Every structure is written in C-alpha cells, then in structure tokens.
Amino acid sequence: MDKVRSTIRQFVRDWAVEGAVERAATYAPVLEAVERVYAGVGVRERGAVQILVPGAGLGRLAFEIAKAGFSSQGNEFSFFMLIASNYILNTVTEPNQITLYPWIHGSSNHVRAADQLAAVTVPDVAVRNAIPPTADFSMVAGDFLEVYGDPDQKGAWNAVVTCYFIDTAKNIFEYLRVIAHALADGGVWINLGPLLYHFEGMKNEMSVDLTLEEVKTAARSLGFVFEEESMMESTYTSNPNSMLKYRYNCAFWVARKMGGSEFTRSA
C-alpha cells in the first residue's frame, strides 16, 4: 500500500499544477543545464543528441527533455512507476483528464479537513503530439546496472541526467561506473539530488554510503571533470499545504567525461 501511496504522490510531483514549484526547484535547473550544454545545436539537429534519464519515475523530466527536441530515454525499475507512467504517457488524451486525492490516506499535519480531501487533476499539460518529429522518446523497464552496463551500451549516450537517483544505489560505485560506461567520450553527466541512501541500515542489505566529497572524488577517478557545481534546496513529493515539510540540500553538477564528442566538443 505504501508504494501505491508513493506513486499517487509522484503524480502530483510530475504531472499536476500543485507540483510546479517542486519541478521548478528540481527539473528546471537540469533542463537549463541541458540547454547550456547544447546551446550550439540547432533544434532540427537536437534529435541526434541521445540523453538517458535513469530513475525516471513517472517520466516528466524525460518527457520535457524530448519536448525540447532531444532524443530522450527514461529508465525505471519500479513496477508501480512503470504502470503509472505508461498510463499517463500513452493512455490519457486530454489535460486534467484524471482526478486524484493524493493526501486522503494520511491524517497528520493537515491544517483543515479540506486539505486532506483536496483533489488534484493530471496531467497539467497536453502529452500527446508534444514531442517534435525529429526527437525520439521512450521508457525502458529494468535495473539500471543490468540494462546500461551491457557492452552494447558502451558510449551510447551523449548525456546522462540523474535527478534524485544516485542515492538509490546499494553500491554507488557501481552506478558511477555504469554512468561512465554508458556515456560517450566528451559526454556530460548532469545531476541534482541529495544523498539519502535508500538501503542504509537495512538488515541483510549492502549499502555503500559515501559523502558528497567522496562521490565527486570517485567520479573524478573515472575521468569526470566538474564544470558546474552548486547546492540547491528542494522538497520531494511534498504536500504544499502540509504542516510538515522536509527540505533537501541537493548537490547539483555538470560533469564531463574526458574525451571529444560530436555534440559537446568545445570550439
């Protein structure tokens, strides 16, 4: 039941007007970075730029990247997220077609009864026919390490975008190696998120919990050069009317894998 509730809240984050502030704090900096990196690539040529979005959730970030003209592929492991993303991306035909009550299952930290019973409608945008014909958009089911650690994926991507993703690893070194493996030489890794390690303290589960400095050191050892670095605050699937909000101080960076690239080589 917890996974169902989490998925419903993810609808708010990704596809409701009520999630716009959260998306502005998390997705917007990533999308702006993509635009900066590929500022010299014309709209008609953007479809040749291959961008991977692991941990895509309900697909909004991958969708926005494709909507901007780039070829985008989201990857997701959660069966709940995959069913929901398929529904919103391939079945819903009109904006605000579906009504949800995302906060009704919890009774804590509501100011008034109306807040607990508040409805949201999704999606807040027209999804159908939003992707330019020159761009490809797809969602792939499966474990990130298995799918993109495959030899066929070596150097297949011009950019990897991770948003609230890298701390889902049991062993973050494996994530870093696969990101480096999948990226073409000269490709960029754009990241935004905290380090709330999902498997920390779980019985019978391995969890390699590095500090932010250690993550960056490990990335540099794999050939990444950090071109932009900053910290940004955001929430995650937060109820905007709740009396309780968790705020994350997220690490943002743009890092380039050493080498030349057709799309990212400096002039």
Side-chain angles (χ1 to χ4, degrees), residues 101-223:
Y101 298 86
W103 321 119
I104 200 168
H105 301 100
S107 301
S108 298
N109 291 302
H110 295 294
V111 175
R112 55 187 66 85
D115 295 338
Q116 183 178 3
L117 302 173
V120 302
T121 57
V122 296
D124 64 321
V125 295
V127 176
R128 289 200 170 185
N129 304 315
I131 308 301
T134 53
D136 292 325
F137 177 46
S138 59
M139 292 284 288
V140 171
D143 179 83
F144 171 67
L145 298 177
E146 293 180 5
V147 176
Y148 299 98
D150 189 275
D152 291 344
Q153 291 292 316
K154 182 175 176 60
W157 301 92
N158 302 110
V160 174
V161 169
T162 53
C163 185
Y164 275 78
F165 173 70
I166 61 173
D167 55 359
T168 66
K170 293 182 179 181
N171 183 347
I172 196 169
F173 288 112
E174 293 181 342
Y175 270 22
L176 298 180
R177 291 191 191 102
V178 171
I179 290 170
H181 168 81
L183 267 176
D185 288 342
V188 293
W189 173 21
I190 301 170
N191 176 77
L192 189 149
L195 292 176
L196 180 64
Y197 291 107
H198 289 207
F199 294 93
E200 179 187 358
M202 290 184 65
K203 188 176 181 180
N204 300 322
E205 291 285 1
M206 178 183 70
S207 184
V208 178
D209 310 328
L210 302 186
T211 66
L212 178 57
E213 287 185 350
E214 290 167 341
V215 170
K216 290 182 177 181
T217 297
R220 290 187 182 99
S221 73
L222 292 170

Side-chain angles (χ1 to χ4, degrees), residues 22-38:
E22 199 164 280
R23 292 194 298 272
T26 52
Y27 296 167
V30 170
L31 294 167
E32 290 164 3
V34 171
E35 292 287 347
R36 288 194 298 275
V37 170
Y38 297 105

Side-chain angles (χ1 to χ4, degrees), residues 241-262:
N241 296 318
S242 175
M243 297 169 65
L244 175 65
K245 293 183 176 69
Y246 293 102
R247 299 195 65 84
Y248 296 94
N249 192 24
C250 297
F252 169 81
W253 64 71
V254 177
R256 189 179 302 273
K257 182 182 172 183
M258 293 295 290
S261 169
E262 179 181 356

